[in-house]
Amino acid sequence: KSTIFKQTKLIHGSGYTKLERASYVHAIRANCIEFSQEILKGIIQLGNDNEDEIYFNKYSTLIEEANDEDEFDDELVIEAIKYLWNLPQTKEVLLRRNEFQIADSTEYFLNQIDRISQQYFTPSDDDILRCRVRTTGVAEYDFKFDEALFKFVDV
């Protein structure tokens, strides 16, 4: 439902303001951390056969303990996400995503981790559409289509 709400705002409305886009930065970065944590769980569940156990353990700990967008200020967390994303086991987890809780937008965001981790990152329309945000409360959006007024309500 929320994706339809966001699409309607982009197609039939004025789009997203800079302030609205900025409000998605935290959620997108949190998504990247959550997605990385789910991939890590999948790798561990499948049985990690990583040749470099020291790096794997170091980066796994960083990812497991990351819990907030502020973690993107830590270059080691970004490095850990990139490391995990480039492991061959990650590809196996993605192929078997139905066995794990891997979101559809995982690949989209983690392929763009360099852009997302930039200090002045501004989310694009695609970023906003793919971002997973828990809906809290009621959001309303009024728009006009072919002279008819509509009220879109997302709960």
Side-chain angles (χ1 to χ4, degrees):
K1 299 179 296 191
S2 296
T3 303
I4 294 170
F5 183 83
K6 292 186 273 188
Q7 288 173 329
T8 302
K9 184 168 179 154
L10 284 169
I11 295 168
H12 298 292
S14 57
Y16 288 91
T17 65
K18 286 184 180 185
L19 185 60
E20 289 171 320
R21 288 179 189 282
S23 72
Y24 278 92
V25 171
H26 174 79
I28 290 168
R29 289 177 172 171
N31 280 183
C32 290
I33 290 172
E34 291 169 21
F35 298 161
S36 297
Q37 289 168 337
E38 291 304 320
I39 288 171
L40 180 60
K41 287 177 192 175
I43 289 172
I44 292 168
Q45 189 174 334
L46 290 176
N48 174 37
D49 59 353
N50 197 312
E51 295 175 10
D52 197 342
E53 198 69 29
I54 294 172
Y55 275 111
F56 183 81
N57 291 338
K58 172 186 169 183
Y59 289 137
S60 296
T61 301
L62 284 168
I63 290 171
E64 287 172 338
E65 294 175 355
N67 60 10
D68 193 85
E69 177 240 343
D70 293 337
E71 301 290 340
F72 270 71
D73 292 339
D74 185 346
E75 286 295 320
L76 281 176
V77 172
I78 303 303
E79 189 177 314
I81 292 171
K82 290 178 186 179
Y83 172 82
L84 180 74
W85 184 238
N86 289 310
L87 287 176
Q89 298 94 318
T90 296
K91 308 311 178 236
E92 180 67 22
V93 170
L94 292 173
L95 287 172
R96 297 171 62 177
R97 70 181 337 123
N98 62 318
E99 299 174 40
F100 309 105
Q101 293 183 352
I102 307 297
D104 292 339
S105 54
T106 298
E107 292 173 80
Y108 172 82
F109 283 123
L110 295 184
N111 274 328
Q112 300 192 44
I113 196 70
D114 287 327
R115 180 177 63 86
I116 293 168
S117 63
Q118 292 297 309
Q119 182 178 1
Y120 299 108
F121 165 63
T122 300
S124 67
D125 290 346
D126 279 344
D127 295 338
I128 292 169
L129 288 173
R130 294 170 190 258
C131 180
R132 294 175 52 110
V133 180
R134 286 175 182 68
T135 303
T136 57
V138 177
E140 294 183 7
Y141 177 66
D142 297 323
F143 67 96
K144 188 176 182 180
F145 180 72
D146 286 342
E147 303 304 317
L149 293 173
F150 292 89
K151 180 180 286 287
F152 199 108
V153 181
D154 186 18
V155 291

